[in-house]
Amino acid sequence: MNLLVIGRGGREHSMIMKLAESDKVDAIYAAPGNAGAREAAECVDLDELDIDGLIEFAVKKKVDLTIVGPENPLLTGIADRFREAGLAIFAPEKDAALIEGSKRYAKTFMEENSIPTAAYATFTDAGEAKSYIEKQGAPIVVKADGLAAGKGVIVAETVQEATDAVDDMLVNDAFSKAGKSIVIEECLAGEEFSLMAFVHGTNVFPMIPARDHKRAYDQDKGPNTGGMGAYAPVRNISPETLAFSAENVLQRAADGMAAAGRPFTGILYAGLIMTDNGPKVIEFNARFGDPETQVVLPLLKNDLLQVFLDVLDGKDPFLQWEEQCCAGVVLAAKGYPGRYKKGVKLPEMDFDARSFVAHAGTRKTNDGIVSDGGRVLLAGAKGAGVEEAAEYAYKWLGQNVESEEFFYRKDIGVEYS
Ligand code: AMP
Ligand code: GLY
């Protein structure tokens, strides 16, 4: 089969590495991919949002299945358009992707379907939002309704911080259209975990839980980022909690979407917090998480292409997982998530049997591989436990990329909450 993977990050490189293991695969195309993707796929210079171009390419190259990494094309309607063109795609249609694209929609949907989540209210008027915050007190969470590249959530420790966030979003248009409407939410406390599932209609096949380290610096300090590292599975989440979340979050969501006439096909991602009152949803995504995917897929024993095909065919893919842990540490450009340099040359990298690299912001030039984004790559390894896995990932980073131009967290795998 010929496959097309849309996206340019670590998540997409990770999918490509896994798909390349399948003996059913003839060719993998990556649009646009990165320097890592080139090792197993043919990279084509098409933007994720160039849907006409992508359809034309898929027809020309006789692509049998397309898989979409990032959220933007989903909300632009890539799955709708591919299906209209008679092309198979493992991705939710625009209506179904709204569970990620609008936090306001997601909250109403959760309420209607009795999915456990934080108490909330929605606003478009700054004055009303501020009086609500003053009544509720801090800590409190302010969220832009629409897509904001992971930057639209402010966990405010004080009333002042929360009202400033309201001004930023509703008055100063800091997130333009995405922040014209906001959700204000109860601040939940507990350990976070991400639970993803392969979904087709009301069929839901959960993966193992992963933990994403979102803050830029050690000890969960500093600004929120796209994710500075991850590990899977998460130790402290009991089988009962996982079963509860699969049934009362993922299954209910799939059932609710189908009942609402927006059946979901693709990866459904629930971001959860384990509170004293059980797991509660902080967000839904309509796609694989990044960097969770990079530590979950290496533990999947199944042929990933066969999993996609089975799920699309209404069959149980019988997911099987290695009895190991996988940890991944993100190497970021100095300055990220603020201003940073691109085009910094990466050293030659050596691999051993345990370690792997998922490229993110990298680009191949005549002069070797250079950085091309804030998150440059994820160094990953497997081990008997998360400590052992992380130790190998750190050892690899220490031996291969110590440089003033980059930084990484030294505590991936450590829990603070
Ligand atoms: P998101 O962009 O939705 O992934 O949110 C970013 C981060 O904000 C999450 O990973 C949580 O750490 C935090 N967060 C979001 N919602 C809440 C909440 N209701 N209570 C506490 N923390 C939250
Ligand atoms: N790791 C969080 C996300 O992919 O949105």
Side-chain angles (χ1 to χ4, degrees), residues 60-97:
K60 193 170 86 195
K61 292 290 185 177
K62 300 195 168 34
V63 168
D64 299 291
L65 181 66
T66 296
I67 301 128
V68 184
E71 59 275 23
N72 293 36
L74 300 175
L75 285 145
T76 311
I78 193 167
D80 313 52
R81 294 280 315 282
F82 266 63
R83 291 201 180 103
E84 276 160 28
L87 294 163
I89 185 164
F90 191 80
E93 289 172 12
K94 194 173 163 181
D95 277 359

Side-chain angles (χ1 to χ4, degrees), residues 243-264:
F244 178 92
S245 308
E247 190 182 326
N248 297 292
V249 174
L250 295 171
Q251 186 67 53
R252 275 189 197 172
D255 292 350
M257 297 300 278
R262 329 174 169 238
F264 190 99

